[in-house]
Structure formats: structure tokens, C-alpha cells
């Protein structure tokens, strides 16, 4: 050790005069105050001068490597136990990079959409929790939002670590913080929490190319690759796909579609450029679906023969835009749109702009701002296009419109490429995943989640990396009759994935939802339940990871069905009633589900039959189910659908 320290001192002294700009640059999330995963090989990547030797030193261990022709290097230190703080040195003839106050402990990645993104200061009891959160052994880092059409090997904005405290905790993910805080108290070692989430994002945006193909989304991966090479060609292909989708759904013949300039729809004047809920039209105050927008613009021959750009302001949630019946662009997200109009699209005289806008949640339409809406020509001149729009309510079609794979939050790996891929082989002890609200209208969530988990595990080289998955809480009108539910189907997909996986578990929060708020504020308990699941997975804690789980259904008698639960602490109980609510018996036919009388004893629930055929049992199958089944630990029984033998 003394010889190593002497050598380090000589190297530092020799490099003191070297420009700091020439020193190696590190990749991943390594930085001052970072937590590095204990008991796993420590992979250090970065950039240095091509061909030069690079030495990495941490905790009395060192590793040597050499930068490749492109300047990238990769060194692997042997596993180290929990401890610190240490300085990490990355030394090369060109200079030395030093990281200070580095701890070795357990590192957890937290990811998902807005319910993972919700910060401590926005959640319930945020002020008190923030003020009392100081812990130098609990380190936090947030990955900045970014997207890319190609996988990146470094972050565009280098993440910055900080210890938990009054100045840092409030702006961090609440669910992630409370999970990490609970794990820190239980494990009594340094804990690092990496937060990477994006509100409204679909799971597809978090899946890289391998996961896309594994989930049957190879065509989307191919189109994204085309977009990276040739955006115009990809846009044309996406436009054709959208048009094919519309014709398939509606039966419209080519030339008879609503985007044609002479489309005969039930047109009405657009009162003003704002969300359509603000127009004062009663039928649109709570409308979710599609509107067609159309306007005309008269151009000179000189204007028409130029290439142009059309800016239509922000769109909520997704658009598809045509000029004179020719597609010029379209995508999802809530930011401003600007599309290239190829030469030959416009013509002298009257030109017709048609836009389809789809809104799936909350406000929708074309909110502007009006001054941003214009047609700009190659010579720099522009024509404003905010006035004179008309609208028509679109025909109802099943499903949602195709989204382009380069969308920020609905794309085919756009978020993965910029926010997960740059993590490289960062050592992790587990992943907390809170997402699914944006996938409730898209079948096949189980395939996508399975593929994403496999890809992330492969990236960090931990085949059995634990995943703690939040089963979606209730949101929406409380159910008064059995019916279909996209949210319930996502919960069921999450359950099936966790059951099959062997290294995943659910954090059940069906009782923590809010029928009026898709972002329920009680995140402290969400974090505790994530910690419970992660504790069982990552630390082998001898407690039920998820609480009561339905494991077996059987015909108890000719007219009764029994459901046996595993993971029960003590026994099952019904809150505020003598019977359990939310159980359904279903036949094979659609619409055959009905509520069943359910009584509880020990770890078993018995459903009384009604003389009608029953082939499956469902529980809590609604957007917002009203249920009351818990165990002695106060944990709710999880939603499920199981077939009867």
C-alpha cells in the first residue's frame, strides 16, 4: 500500500502542470459523492487520448487499461465491500481525474413515469420529510430528461450526486427516496438512488432495440433506425402507415379520407387558438378523442414553388398533418410542432392544411401560441396561419393512433437511448419500476415489461437483477358493476410477469389510489412497500415481498369456489364489512362477470356460486376498484384473474 501511495503521489505531482482539459473524462454516473455498488466488479469507462495507458484506483485497488483508437477506455476493478468515503483516481499521461467522497454500498435505479417522477416536496408531508431527511450515507442523483434516436454511451448532461438533506431531498423522486431511505435504515450501509423517469412515458420508450425486437416491435425499431439515417424518408413511411391504419379502421377508400382538401365533414369555426375545452362548446368540455382541424391559405406562385416549414404550435396529445392531402409530419407529445414542407407540396392559389389531433387525457387540441403558427418559406418570408381554422369531431375508431417511434415519450427506445444506455455497466442492487398508466390502451404489456427487464439486466451484467414493480393504484370512477378495464389488464400483466420471473415482486398499492387524481400524493407508503419488496429480493428479508397473493383457485363444492392466498402475514381480514368486496365469477362469454359473495377464513376466500357457469375468478378488476381484503400487516390483497380448473 505504501508503494502504491508513493507511486500515486509521483504521478499526481508529474501531472500537476497538465491541462485539466486533457485529463480523462468519465462516463456513466460516476462523480463526486457517488455511491458505487459493493460486491460487484466495478466497471469504469470514459474517454482519454487514443492509445494512452489509463490507471484507475479506488479503495486500495487498481486496474489498468489503454484507450482505444476512438479514445474510449474501460477498466474493471475487483469487487469491494461497503465502506468509504474514498477518492477515486483515474490517471493517464495526459492528466489525472479525481473523484472525491465516493462511497461503496448498494445502488438502486428508480424509473418509470409521472408517479415515479413526483417529488418529495409535491407529495404528502413533503415539507416535514424534507427537513428531517439529512443522511450523508444516502446519496441521490437524477438523470436529466433527454431522448435520442441512437443509443448513447454518455449523458448529454452529466448527473450530479448529492447527499440527502434539506436542500436536496425535496426535488427528488418521492417513491424512490422513501424506498431508499427505508433500505438504508434496514441495511445500515451506504445507499445510492439513481432516479430516471419521465411523466407520460410509455414503456416502449424505455426499451432498447433488443427489447423492441423481443417484444415483437421490430418494425418500430427499423423505422427509428431509418429516422436516424434519413428523417424525411422515415416521416413519409410513418405518414403512409397512419393513413393505412385509418383506412383499415374506417373502411374509407383512397381519396375519400378526411384529410383530403374537399373532405365534407361537419365543420364548425374554431373560436380561438387554445385548448378546445376552453371554447365554451358543451360537447367538448370533457371530450377525449380526435378532432379534425382545417384551414386554407392562399399563396403566390413564387411562394408555392419554394420549400417551406409549417409551425403549428403545441399539440395535445398527438397530431398528423397534411397539406393539400399530402402528409408532412406528425408525432406525439405536448411540445411545439414544426415540419418541413417539401417543394412541390404547395401550389399557387388556395392551399388546404388539415390536422388530426388526438387527445387521450385531460386537455387537448391546438393551444398555440397563435403567434408561433406560421408557414415560413426558404427565402425567409412567412405567412401567419393562426386565424380561420375550422374543426370537426372525428369518427370514433377503436384503439389509438399509431405513434412515430421517434416520439419523446411514446417512441421505440428514445428515452432508453439517452437515459439508460449511458449508464453502461453501472453496478446495481435492484430496480424500482413505477409505470403503466400510459400503456392501459395497448395490449401486450407483459411482453414489453419482460423484454425491458431482460435488456436492462443484460446491460448491467446481472442476470438476476431484482425488479420491484409498483402495481398500479386505483384511479377513475369507482366501479359499480363488473366490466373491462385497461388498467386492470396492466396490473394483471405486471402480476404475471413477476410470478414468472423469480427475481421480481410487486409493491401492491391498490388501496393508495385517488379516484380524482392519477397522481395520488401518498408516496411515503409506496416507498415503504417498494422497500419491502426490494428487501425480500435483494437482501432475503424473511417477510412477504408483496403481501397476500392469490395462488390457487378451485371448486370447493358444486356451487362454491375457493381462492387460496400466499404471502399472508397472520390471516386475511375484511375492513368495515363481514364480506370481501371486489370478487367476481366469470363465464367464458364476454360480459358474463358478476360480483360474488365472498367470505374469509385464514388465508382462504370462499365465493358463493349463483348457479351460472364460472370458468375464472377476478378480483379488483376495475380502474378504481373498491376492495377491503388485507392481512395482519395491513397489506392489501393484490388484483388478479385466474382460471378455474
Amino acid at each position: 500500500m505504501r508503494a502504491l501511495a508513493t507511486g500515486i503521489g509521483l504521478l499526481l505531482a508529474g501531472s500537476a502542470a497538465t491541462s485539466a482539459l486533457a485529463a480523462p473524462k468519465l462516463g456513466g454516473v460516476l462523480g463526486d459523492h457517488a455511491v458505487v455498488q459493493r460486491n460487484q466488479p466495478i466497471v469504469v469507462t470514459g474517454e482519454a487520448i487514443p492509445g494512452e495507458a489509463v490507471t484507475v484506483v479506488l479503495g486500495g485497488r487498481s486496474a489498468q487499461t489503454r484507450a482505444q483508437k476512438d479514445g474510449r477506455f474501460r477498466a474493471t476493478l475487483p469487487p469491494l465491500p461497503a465502506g468509504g468515503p474514498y477518492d477515486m483516481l483515474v490517471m493517464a499521461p495526459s492528466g489525472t481525474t479525481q473523484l472525491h467522497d465516493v462511497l461503496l454500498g448498494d445502488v438502486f435505479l428508480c424509473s418509470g413515469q409521472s408517479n415515479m417522477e413526483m417529488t418529495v416536496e409535491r407529495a404528502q408531508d413533503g415539507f416535514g420529510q424534507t427537513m428531517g431527511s439529512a443522511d450523508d450515507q444516502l446519496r441521490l442523483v437524477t438523470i436529466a430528461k433527454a431522448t435520442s434516436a441512437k443509443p448513447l454511451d454518455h449523458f448529454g448532461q452529466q448527473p450530479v450526486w448529492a447527499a440527502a438533506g434539506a436542500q436536496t431531498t425535496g426535488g427528488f423522486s418521492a417513491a424512490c427516496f422513501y424506498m431508499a431511505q427505508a433500505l438504508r435504515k434496514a441495511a445500515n450501509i451506504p445507499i445510492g438512488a439513481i432516479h430516471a423517469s419521465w411523466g407520460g412515458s410509455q414503456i416502449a420508450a424505455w426499451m432498447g432495440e433488443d427489447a423492441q425486437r423481443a417484444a415483437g416491435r421490430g418494425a418500430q425499431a427499423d423505422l427509428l433506425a431509418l429516422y436516424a439515417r434519413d428523417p424525411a424518408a422515415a416521416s413519409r413511411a410513418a405518414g403512409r402507415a397512419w393513413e393505412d391504419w385509418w383506412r383499415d379502421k374506417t373502411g374509407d377508400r383512397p381519396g375519400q379520407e378526411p384529410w383530403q382538401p374537399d373532405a365534407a365533414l361537419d365543420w364548425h369555426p374554431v373560436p380561438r387558438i387554445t385548448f378546445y375545452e376552453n371554447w365554451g362548446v358543451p360537447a367538448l368540455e370533457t371530450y377525449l378523442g380526435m378532432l379534425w382541424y382545417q384551414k386554407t391559405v392562399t399563396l403566390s406562385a413564387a411562394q408555392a414553388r419554394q420549400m417551406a416549414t409549417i409551425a403549428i404550435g403545441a399539440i395535445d396529445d398527438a397530431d398528423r398533418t397534411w397539406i393539400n392531402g399530402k402528409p408532412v409530419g406528425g408525432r406525439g407529445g405536448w411540445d411545439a410542432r414544426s415540419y418541413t414542407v417539401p417543394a412541390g407540396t404547395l401550389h399557387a392559389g388556395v392551399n388546404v392544411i388539415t390536422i388530426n389531433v388526438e387527445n387521450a387525457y385531460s386537455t387537448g387540441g391546438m393551444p398555440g401560441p397563435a403567434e408561433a403558427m406560421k408557414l415560413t418559406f426558404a427565402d425567409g418570408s412567412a405567412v401567419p396561419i393562426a386565424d380561420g381554422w375550422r374543426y370537426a369531431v372525428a369518427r370514433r375508431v377503436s384503439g389509438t393512433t399509431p405513434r412515430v417511434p421517434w416520439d419523446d415519450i411514446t417512441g421505440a427506445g428514445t428515452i432508453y437511448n439517452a437515459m439508460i444506455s449511458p449508464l453502461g455497466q453501472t453496478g446495481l442492487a435492484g430496480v424500482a419500476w413505477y409505470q403503466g398508466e400510459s400503456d392501459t390502451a395497448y395490449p401486450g404489456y407483459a411482453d414489453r415489461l419482460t423484454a425491458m427487464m431482460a435488456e436492462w439486466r443484460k446491460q448491467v451484467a446481472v442476470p438476476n437483477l431484482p425488479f420491484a414493480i409498483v402495481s398500479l393504484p386505483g384511479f377513475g370512477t369507482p366501479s359499480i358493476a363488473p366490466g373491462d378495464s385497461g388498467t386492470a389488464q396492466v396490473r394483471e400483466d405486471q402480476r404475471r410477469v413477476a410470478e414468472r420471473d423469480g427475481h421480481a415482486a410487486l409493491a401492491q398499492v391498490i388501496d393508495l389510489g385517488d379516484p380524482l387524481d392519477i397522481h395520488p400524493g401518498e408516496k411515503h407508503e409506496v416507498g415503504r412497500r417498494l422497500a419491502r419488496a426490494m428487501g425480500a429480493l435483494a437482501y432475503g428479508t424473511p417477510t412477504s415481498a408483496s403481501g397476500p397473493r392469490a395462488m390457487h383457485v378451485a371448486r370447493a363444492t358444486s356451487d362454491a369456489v375457493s381462492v387460496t392466498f400466499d404471502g399472508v402475514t397472520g390471516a386475511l381480514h375484511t375492513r368495515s364489512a363481514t364480506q370481501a368486496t371486489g370478487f367476481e365469477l366469470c363465464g367464458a362469454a364476454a360480459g358474463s362477470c358478476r360480483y360474488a359473495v365472498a367470505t374469509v377464513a385464514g388465508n382462504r376466500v370462499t365465493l358463493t356460486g349463483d348457479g351460472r357457469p364460472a370458468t375464472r375468478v377476478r378480483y379488483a378488476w376495475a380502474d378504481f376498484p373498491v376492495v377491503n381484503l388485507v392481512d395482519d400487516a395491513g397489506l392489501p390483497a393484490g388484483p388478479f384473474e385466474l382460471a378455474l380448473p
Side-chain angles (χ1 to χ4, degrees), residues 256-449:
Q256 303 297 314
E257 309 96 339
W259 58 82
Q260 299 299 337
D262 57 353
L265 304 180
D266 186 16
W267 295 109
H268 304 274
V270 170
R272 61 189 183 279
I273 296 298
T274 184
F275 296 111
Y276 60 70
E277 291 86 354
N278 300 332
W279 288 349
V281 179
L284 297 179
E285 288 179 355
T286 59
Y287 176 71
L288 296 178
M290 292 187 293
L291 292 185
W292 292 99
Y293 290 76
Q294 192 181 83
K295 80 166 269 94
T296 60
V297 57
T298 301
L299 303 177
S300 68
Q303 291 171 320
R305 59 174 166 259
Q306 299 181 60
M307 181 182 292
T309 298
I310 183 170
I312 57 176
I315 297 292
D316 191 352
D317 299 317
D319 79 290
R320 178 55 53 183
T321 300
W322 297 260
I323 298 180
N324 298 325
K326 299 177 181 178
V328 296
R331 59 186 179 86
W334 308 302
D335 54 353
R337 308 295 203 266
S338 180
Y339 302 127
T340 298
V341 182
T345 304
L346 304 170
H347 52 246
V350 176
N351 295 260
V352 181
I353 303 170
T354 305
I355 303 175
N356 177 284
V357 176
E358 180 186 34
N359 176 36
Y361 172 73
S362 187
T363 55
M366 295 171 55
E371 57 269 20
M373 301 173 67
K374 62 185 67 176
L375 196 61
T376 303
F377 302 97
D379 63 7
S381 63
V383 173
I385 59 171
D387 296 329
W389 288 91
R390 58 182 184 168
Y391 78 93
V393 176
R395 187 186 326 180
R396 286 283 185 181
V397 295
S398 61
T400 57
T401 59
R403 301 296 175 87
V404 295
W406 51 89
D407 274 353
D408 287 350
I409 60 176
T410 62
T414 44
I415 297 177
Y416 170 86
N417 289 342
M419 296 178 64
I420 300 299
S421 176
L423 287 171
Q425 197 177 324
T426 297
L428 298 175
V431 175
W433 179 250
Y434 194 165
Q435 190 275 340
E437 297 93 335
S438 290
D439 281 71
T440 57
Y442 300 93
Y445 188 80
D447 293 338
R448 298 191 292 277
L449 179 57

Side-chain angles (χ1 to χ4, degrees), residues 5 19 126 133 148 155 171 190 240 323 340-341 347 553 556 581 603 625-626 630:
S19 169
S133 65
S148 173
F155 292 107
R240 290 192 297 269
I323 298 180
T340 298
V341 182
H347 52 246
V553 296
T581 60
N603 69 334
V626 178
V630 298

Side-chain angles (χ1 to χ4, degrees), residues 139-218:
R139 306 288 176 84
L140 315 172
V141 63
T142 295
I143 307 300
K145 291 180 180 177
T147 61
S148 173
K150 297 180 179 179
L152 303 180
D153 58 8
H154 62 278
F155 292 107
Q157 180 179 331
Q158 186 61 27
V160 178
W161 288 84
Q167 303 302 314
T168 56
T169 299
F172 193 73
S173 160
C176 186
F177 171 76
Y178 291 128
M179 180 194 75
Q181 185 183 56
L183 293 173
R184 162 93 180 98
K185 292 177 180 177
N188 196 31
I189 60 170
I191 296 290
I194 303 172
H195 167 229
S197 63
W198 196 320
S201 58
Q202 294 179 4
I203 191 173
W206 296 94
M207 299 161 53
E209 182 178 350
D210 290 347
Q212 301 288 337
R213 298 191 185 283
R217 293 174 49 86

